[in-house]
Amino acid sequence: MAYQLYYWTGIQGRGEFVRLALEDAAAAYVDVAREEGDGVMTAWLDGEHDGALPYAPPFLKSGRLVIAQVANILQYLAPRHGLVPESESKRIYAHQLQLTIADLVAEAHDVHHPVGAGLYYEDQKDEAKRRAKEFRESRIPKFLHYFEKVLDRNGGKHALREFTYVDLSLFQVMSGLAYAFPKCMARQKLPLLRDLARRVEVRPNIAAYLASSRRVPHSEDGIFRHYAELDG
């Protein structure tokens, strides 16, 4: 039975981290809102279905299970599709790394919405410029140099010495930050992360996905947004 993925149409957003895992694993799934429209999620978010109540998309339906939060979804999918080692310690470490990625993604979002998610970017541009400077000069280097060290400590090729879902998520982070902050990212010395991103990009299932219409482009409606005034 195919998984059912619920996420907003027209953007990559947080749902893309889940899509990459499903695509790499060649898992059967339906991107429900893309077929039925965003309104299909309303009943779930209003609690009109049985099972766990998601706070927000993405969430995944697998049989009777309803699983929300990116790291939680990936922790569920990974052992079922060979995207994490069997060792409990390595699974815990993979989850730890994914939660750190979630922290980075949240900070990337808050660059263009530093005052409130319910306000337009144009309503908080001055605050966004200030937030972006701190993000470019301090937070991007701190996060990415941490992940560079993670790769180095594990042989330089993968976050956990073998391919896992964390590698897919690091690819998405590198892709999103390169789109949103091209000048800043061009200045970063990240040989291991850049090599990892290139190797993920050419994995057969990922390459096919990236070339397909299922991979929507980055845009100013998603998490990673490019505004020239925020790139320094």
Side-chain angles (χ1 to χ4, degrees):
M1 183 168 57
Y3 298 110
Q4 293 175 295
L5 174 64
Y6 290 81
Y7 196 69
W8 309 114
T9 59
I11 61 172
Q12 293 182 18
R14 290 177 173 84
E16 198 67 10
F17 293 93
V18 180
R19 288 193 195 99
L20 287 168
L22 291 167
E23 292 283 347
D24 189 80
Y29 76 100
V30 178
D31 215 327
V32 180
R34 288 187 179 179
E35 296 193 0
E36 301 181 32
D38 286 346
V40 73
M41 291 182 285
T42 302
W44 289 94
L45 300 177
D46 287 347
E48 296 176 11
H49 288 274
D50 293 334
L53 176 63
Y55 173 72
F59 54 94
L60 185 82
K61 190 169 187 297
S62 175
R64 294 183 179 182
L65 289 175
V66 179
I67 309 160
Q69 295 287 355
V70 170
N72 198 32
I73 297 169
L74 293 173
Q75 186 181 41
Y76 170 78
L77 289 173
R80 288 160 175 78
H81 296 283
L83 291 174
V84 71
E86 293 184 2
S87 161
E88 181 183 33
S89 63
K90 290 183 178 179
R91 290 187 185 190
I92 291 171
Y93 187 39
H95 189 54
Q96 173 184 314
L97 293 173
Q98 191 66 42
L99 289 169
T100 306
I101 290 170
D103 291 341
L104 169 54
V105 171
E107 291 197 26
H109 169 272
D110 290 348
V111 167
H112 49 79
H113 278 76
V115 177
L119 301 174
Y120 290 109
Y121 166 67
E122 288 72 20
D123 297 326
Q124 46 195 318
K125 288 180 70 172
D126 290 342
E127 294 90 347
K129 289 179 181 178
R130 184 178 179 186
R131 184 68 175 263
K133 185 175 188 295
E134 166 71 7
F135 189 65
R136 292 192 317 267
E137 295 179 0
S138 176
R139 304 305 289 165
I140 284 179
K142 185 170 184 176
F143 274 111
L144 296 188
H145 291 156
Y146 164 74
F147 285 115
E148 189 80 0
K149 187 182 296 184
V150 167
L151 291 170
D152 183 56
R153 284 165 59 94
N154 287 280
K157 296 296 184 183
H158 302 292
L160 274 84
R161 290 194 176 273
E162 59 187 276
F163 183 80
T164 68
Y165 67 92
V166 178
D167 296 329
L168 293 168
S169 292
L170 288 173
F171 159 78
Q172 179 64 8
V173 163
M174 293 294 287
S175 174
L177 290 176
Y179 173 79
F181 302 98
K183 292 181 181 178
C184 174
M185 287 297 287
R187 294 192 293 269
Q188 306 302 315
K189 295 181 179 180
L190 304 164
L192 299 181
L193 279 169
R194 295 188 196 283
D195 179 62
L196 172 64
R198 285 190 292 267
R199 286 184 287 107
V200 169
E201 193 172 29
V202 298
R203 287 175 65 83
N205 290 346
I206 295 298
Y209 170 62
L210 296 178
S212 76
S213 60
R214 298 190 303 282
R215 170 76 167 189
V216 299
H218 291 291
S219 73
E220 280 53 73
D221 293 317
I223 291 173
F224 299 104
R225 303 186 186 187
H226 175 65
Y227 299 112
E229 63 270 23
L230 301 187
D231 194 21

